[in-house]
Amino acid sequence: MPHAHSCPQLIQTDVRKIANFYAARLQQLCCPRPSFSLVRTVHAHMIASGFRPRGHILNRLIDLYCKSTNVTYARHLFDAIPQPDIVARTTLITAYSNSANINLARRVFDETPFFIRDTVSYNAMISAYSRNGDGCAAVELFCEMGRERLHLCPDDFTFTSVLSGLALVADDDRQCRQMHCAVVKFGTESNVSVLNALISVYMRCFSGSSAVLARQLFDGMLDKDELSWTTMITGYVRRGDLDAAQQLFDGMKEKFDVVWNAMISGYVHHGFTGEALEMFRRMYLEGVVLDEFTCTSVLSACANAGLLQHGKQVHAYIIRMDPTPEPETSLPVKNALITLYSKCGKIYEARWIFDGMCLRDLVSWNAILSGYVTLGHIGDAQRIFNVMPERNLLTWTVMISGFAHNGLGEEGLKLFNRMREEGVSPCDYAFAGAITASAGLGALEHGRQLHGQLIRYGFDSSVSAGNALLTMYARCGVVEAARCMFLTMPCADSVSWNAMIAALGQHGHGTGALDLFERMLQVEISPDRITFLTVLSACSHAGLVKEGCEYFKLMNGRYGIIPSEDHYARLIDLLGRAGKLSEAKGIIEKMPFKPGAPVWEALLAGCRIHGNMELGIQAAEELFELVPEHDGTYILLSNMYATVGRWNDAAKARKAMKDRGVKKEPGCSWIEVSRSVHVFMVDDTKHPEVPEVYGFLERLGVEMRKLGYVPDTKFVLHDVESEQKEYVLSTHSEKLAVGYGLLKLPAGATVRVLKNLRICGDCHTAIKFMSKVVDREIIVRDGKRFHHFKNGECSCGNYW
């Protein structure tokens, strides 16, 4: 740029020469993103010299300001022009479109007089709609172009733009055919870009014979470019027709890296991990450059299939290929590595990668957050959540679900409310997390409120939310509401069936659970390992030994599902509850792998029920070796000794527990009254209304004794006097919670109590008498199942 004194003055020099001078300077600044400061310097020099630019000089200035991402300056200049021409208007429309200001772009377009509009201006506005995701508006404007300006003929760019918009909204191949006819009518059917766009529209439309029409267009093309092949193959992949995609891929003479990536991504997306890894291997052997898209897809395949070693090999290759990658290029790869290591249980490796990233995005933060949540490290997850620079709906949903599935329902509900207070609208998965939190707390009324809100948001057809509601109603003791949810779900999946089978089993409807399982098979929904866990549990709770053993054999025999340790534990529990301890021991000895803690715990529980001391001690010794810190083993062994009066041995078991620093989980029960959850501990003195509860239970006990209730002191597992034993029994947490419910809930309302441990025999008997005295239904959910007490009877039939 010359100094001001070297520039010819307007008075002395021809205006055309000055215009050419500035035009040349502006031309020098033309590039994809010119320097704003240089453009402004040239503009300032014009003003200082007294030159008043017009026509193409003004248009060039507007264009340069727009390209330097300073649309505001361009608009100021535009507004100063008395009658901007079509070039200036079109330039501004394109600039607003590039900055996603679609409304401002349309305003400039609407203010353009009809008589100066041309094909280019329509193209700019149609393209703006297509690029900004408004396909309907793009198609509508294309139709308006034909109605209002009959002398304007759409060109190649017009059709390329409008077809991009149509691809976003086309759901019927008739729409595609109509546009195809227009392409032929205006003679643009030989243009490669138009044909590629038309193929893309057909492949995105899933109705009719659109894929066949797309293939006919593709096969008929005389000149195919890279985009032609990519569009066709990615179209097949998107439709799930991987065989057709592979066939077309194999027929390519020269394979571009884009189609390799499309094939690998397609296989990963549809769960064909082996095929994705084989494609990756072929790509590597043929010397194709593996970019970040390739590596990201392959790492995702390894993560989804749990192939840690394969993933580590890919990681090593990435490091060898580029030890010091650009942060922007390596970002998606690093995110995929965090997900890989997290899903494979290597959270420390995932965190090491995360901490070493000099550039992170929201995906990075969500990936490490999800890793901690998935592995149950909720404290670490919460710390990550608290320091995240930004959050999206996924962030909130992951954290809410993490709290809900790790026994922190109250924190989950608080976070759900906080999310809404911060203006984030919940999705169906966020509702599912909050509903699951309500289920864990037994907060039925809160769950019902969430159900109503979910309907208002329009998520009542969501499968994930429906499954959460089904489980919530079941876990809160309202099994009929759970059944109603199941029957009215528009699309029940295997999770829905499993949840309903589990609900029936937990509520003592063992035969109903098995009937539902048979219906599941009739409608051709394949059972999975979770299905058989629920079926075996249902059989165990109902004492259906023969049926349970038959279903256990069916797992591998008919469905090819190899029983895991959890399945064996359920089978041992089934046999142990029924007193078939020798059979249970025989199965343990023949297991194809060494039995772990769940199997021995099931056997020990059966021994405790039926008083088999010898086998029980053996099971306890195995558990002491496997999980010496687990309190349940010491308690069960001590209780077995206490049941038969071996108080010294019971004391030794408790002393061993104390010496090893193992703390017993305190028994507690809780009940929801007036939308508040009230918690009671054994021998509770902290609840503000507990004295009133003790008084009520004492008065109720008088009526219970008249009907024949006698406290069963054998369930007091301490060597104390008889009167003290009766007092200990009267302070059990479930009795206190039931008493509080009877006092505070409206007359006739069902009392629903939840308990963290197994209900004791005396409490079970006492609550049966309570239900008869007060003539109300009382539902207790203990650590294993539900008990519905009504008119002096329990739904479990005294088998639990």
Side-chain angles (χ1 to χ4, degrees), residues 28 33 71 79 115 140 199 265 267 504-505 585 593 631 665 690 722 724:
Q28 291 173 355
R33 180 169 290 188
V71 186
D79 289 340
F115 65 89
E140 184 179 340
I199 289 170
S265 177
Y267 280 127
L504 292 171
K585 182 64 165 58
F593 46 80
D631 65 327
E665 180 184 3
V690 77
S722 178
Q724 191 174 352

Side-chain angles (χ1 to χ4, degrees), residues 34-229:
S35 167
F36 169 65
S37 60
L38 289 178
V39 176
R40 192 169 58 172
T41 299
V42 175
H43 190 190
H45 195 277
M46 291 180 191
I47 297 171
S49 69
F51 175 67
R52 302 182 67 179
R54 296 180 183 179
H56 71 284
I57 299 290
L58 282 173
N59 291 341
R60 179 58 58 85
L61 273 172
I62 291 172
D63 180 55
L64 289 172
Y65 276 133
C66 289
K67 288 180 177 177
S68 67
T69 66
N70 278 275
V71 186
T72 304
Y73 273 77
R75 185 58 192 253
H76 286 321
L77 191 56
F78 177 86
D79 289 340
I81 303 173
Q83 292 182 333
D85 63 13
I86 191 62
V87 175
R89 295 175 185 274
T90 303
T91 301
L92 205 56
I93 290 169
T94 303
Y96 280 134
S97 169
N98 292 337
S99 59
N101 287 321
I102 196 70
N103 292 331
L104 291 177
R106 183 62 195 242
R107 187 181 301 172
V108 174
F109 180 83
D110 288 340
E111 292 171 353
T112 303
F114 278 108
F115 65 89
I116 69 168
R117 290 184 191 177
D118 59 6
T119 301
V120 177
S121 61
Y122 272 95
N123 289 350
M125 196 63 231
I126 292 170
S127 176
Y129 280 128
S130 296
R131 280 197 309 240
N132 287 276
D134 194 344
C136 291
V139 174
E140 184 179 340
L141 186 59
F142 172 79
C143 296
E144 179 186 317
M145 176 183 178
R147 288 194 303 267
E148 302 292 342
R149 304 286 294 179
L150 295 177
H151 68 279
L152 290 181
C153 290
D155 58 15
D156 298 343
F157 191 82
T158 313
F159 280 110
T160 304
S161 299
V162 74
L163 285 167
S164 298
L166 181 60
L168 301 173
V169 296
D171 55 6
D172 190 328
D173 63 358
R174 288 178 298 179
Q175 299 168 314
C176 307
R177 290 170 184 266
Q178 288 173 358
M179 195 62 73
H180 191 172
C181 290
V183 168
V184 174
K185 176 183 176 181
F186 287 97
T188 59
E189 73 274 14
S190 60
N191 183 273
V192 174
S193 296
V194 174
L195 286 173
N196 288 342
L198 195 53
I199 289 170
S200 178
V201 171
Y202 275 127
M203 291 303 288
R204 286 176 178 270
C205 181
F206 281 82
S207 66
S209 56
S210 55
V212 175
L213 294 169
R215 185 58 183 266
Q216 289 173 354
L217 276 175
F218 176 82
D219 292 340
M221 291 177 70
L222 297 177
D223 296 313
K224 300 181 180 74
D225 61 8
E226 182 176 338
L227 184 58
S228 310
W229 290 93

Side-chain angles (χ1 to χ4, degrees), residues 444 447-448 451 469-479 481-482 485:
L444 176 61
R448 282 173 170 161
H451 189 175
L469 283 168
L470 190 162
T471 303
M472 184 275 295
Y473 283 120
R475 294 195 67 190
C476 290
V478 196
V479 69
M485 277 300 308

